[in-house]
């Protein structure tokens, strides 16, 4: 009769190991509610890296992002602001900030349904990568904390241990995600026809069409239409769904923005 060790080996042997396969997950509104970069900005505000008016600008973009999904104009505006603010900050500080942001703001916003999908891929032996416009340092923290394979994110230029305020390449967004995933596939020997990709945004259609198994999570209106036309699976983990009552959603988001404003005000007040 096999002992416990032998039984464990036999159990592991029964799990199919999908070598050459991987799953790629967007982060904002796909893995977590809202925009991860916003929470980085909020934490930088707490550290007095920028002004209240700049913080309000980030809050407004977060509000629009939650309400209507990604907008390229807002994405580039956030990118430009973040680069300006990051200039001169040390890499070690950003890494430490990423850990704090995950513990205090991101972990509680992870969609359990999306996390379960990622864990299922890991259980059957697929590699799981995050693909996001979020800075690579923060994306790596999220990936590590969730036990994923790795992360692809936006890379800031570094000189002498500090950020210069310039990018290496471009922000990892839209078509750039498909390019990055293709590079990973080439390096890792992945068969993209047997890979999966998950996103909420029509901006990620190039990524979704690159793989054999595109899946839509919490989609914006344009991606939902595209998914329906192409018979792609759709998961919506938002409570009440976006199609429920606009009034309820507006009240919920309005409350969130009020809470954010109160948080910024608290950190502005003298201690």
């Amino acid at each position: 009769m096999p002992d416990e060790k032998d039984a464990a080996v036999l159990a592991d042997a029964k799990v199919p190991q999908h070598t050459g396969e991987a799953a790629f997950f967007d982060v904002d509104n796909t893995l977590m509610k809202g925009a991860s970069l916003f929470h980085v900005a909020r934490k930088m505000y707490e550290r007095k890296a920028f002004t209240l008016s700049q913080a309000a600008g980030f809050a407004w973009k977060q509000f629009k992002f939650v309400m209507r999904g990604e907008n390229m104009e807002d994405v580039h505006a956030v990118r430009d602001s973040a680069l300006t603010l990051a200039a001169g900050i040390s890499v070690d500080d950003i890494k430490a900030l990423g850990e704090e942001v995950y513990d205090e703001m991101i972990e509680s916003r992870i969609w359990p349904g999306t996390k379960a999908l990622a864990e299922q891929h890991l259980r059957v032996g697929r590699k799981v990568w995050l693909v996001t416009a979020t800075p690579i340092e923060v994306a790596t923290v999220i990936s590590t904390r969730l036990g994923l394979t790795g992360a692809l994110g936006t890379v800031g230029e570094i000189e002498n241990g500090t950020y210069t305020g310039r990018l290496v390449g471009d922000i990892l967004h839209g078509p750039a995600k498909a390019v990055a995933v293709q590079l990973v596939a080439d390096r890792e020997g992945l068969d993209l026809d047997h890979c999966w990709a998950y996103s909420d945004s029509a901006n990620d259609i190039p990524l979704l069409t690159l793989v054999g198994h595109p899946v839509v999570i919490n989609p914006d209106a344009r991606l939902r239409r595209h998914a329906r036309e192409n018979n792609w699976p759709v998961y919506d983990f938002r409570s009440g769904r976006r199609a429920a009552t606009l009034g309820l959603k507006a009240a919920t988001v309005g409350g969130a923005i009020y809470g954010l404003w109160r948080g910024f005000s608290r950190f502005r007040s003298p201690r």
Side-chain angles (χ1 to χ4, degrees):
M1 188 172 180
D3 60 21
E4 290 184 5
K5 181 177 179 181
D6 291 335
V9 171
L10 288 171
D12 289 342
K14 294 178 182 178
V15 178
Q17 297 299 305
H18 295 268
T19 56
E21 300 179 12
F24 298 91
F25 285 80
D26 172 51
V27 172
D28 298 342
N29 268 357
T30 301
L31 178 65
M32 61 169 283
K33 182 178 182 179
S36 49
L37 186 58
F38 166 77
H39 299 296
V40 174
R42 178 177 172 181
K43 177 59 68 173
M44 290 176 69
Y45 173 78
E46 292 177 17
R47 295 186 174 189
K48 304 185 185 303
F50 52 89
T51 67
L52 183 63
S53 62
Q54 290 170 320
F58 277 109
W60 174 241
K61 290 180 176 62
Q62 169 79 341
F63 170 80
K64 291 194 292 182
F65 180 58
V66 172
M67 285 293 290
R68 72 185 185 189
E70 290 181 340
N71 173 277
M72 286 302 296
E73 182 179 342
D74 290 339
V75 168
H76 288 299
V78 170
R79 173 201 63 188
D80 295 340
S81 298
L83 286 172
T84 300
L85 297 171
I89 296 178
S90 76
V91 175
D92 289 341
D93 282 347
I94 290 295
K95 288 179 178 177
L97 183 145
E99 298 283 352
E100 292 179 23
V101 167
Y102 183 86
D103 288 335
E104 298 174 18
M105 303 170 186
I106 291 179
E107 185 175 25
S108 63
R109 291 172 169 83
I110 300 289
W111 296 110
T114 308
K115 182 181 178 184
L117 289 169
E119 290 172 344
Q120 177 59 24
H121 284 295
L122 291 172
R123 275 195 295 271
V124 299
R126 294 190 187 99
K127 295 182 178 181
V128 177
W129 296 81
L130 299 182
V131 188
T132 176
T134 294
I136 186 61
E137 291 81 7
V138 178
T140 298
V141 169
I142 299 172
S143 173
T144 300
R145 293 297 191 91
L146 293 177
L148 308 183
T149 306
L152 308 174
T154 298
V155 179
E157 183 183 69
I158 299 168
E159 289 183 0
N160 300 319
T162 62
Y163 293 97
T164 65
R166 298 184 295 271
L167 289 180
V168 176
D170 201 359
I171 186 171
L172 195 63
H173 189 265
K177 288 185 179 180
V179 173
V181 166
Q182 182 66 66
L183 291 173
V184 169
D186 293 343
R187 185 185 72 212
E188 300 282 327
L190 302 176
D191 181 352
L192 287 173
D193 287 339
H194 292 88
C195 288
W196 305 67
Y198 298 81
S199 180
D200 70 296
S201 171
N203 292 317
D204 287 341
I205 288 175
L207 168 62
L208 293 167
T209 56
L210 182 67
V211 300
H213 301 285
V215 181
V216 172
I217 293 181
N218 305 330
D220 59 30
R222 191 155 63 96
L223 183 56
R224 186 180 291 277
R225 286 195 301 271
H226 190 90
R228 185 168 56 245
E229 292 166 359
N230 290 273
N231 199 31
W232 290 352
V234 177
Y235 293 95
D236 202 322
F237 300 128
R238 296 167 293 195
S239 59
R241 287 192 48 182
R242 192 177 294 269
T245 63
L246 182 60
L248 177 60
K249 173 142 189 197
T252 302
V253 177
I257 295 301
Y258 174 75
L260 293 171
W261 178 260
R262 292 287 296 170
F264 286 136
S265 299
R266 178 166 59 86
F267 288 112
R268 177 186 56 177
S269 302
R271 300 186 179 182

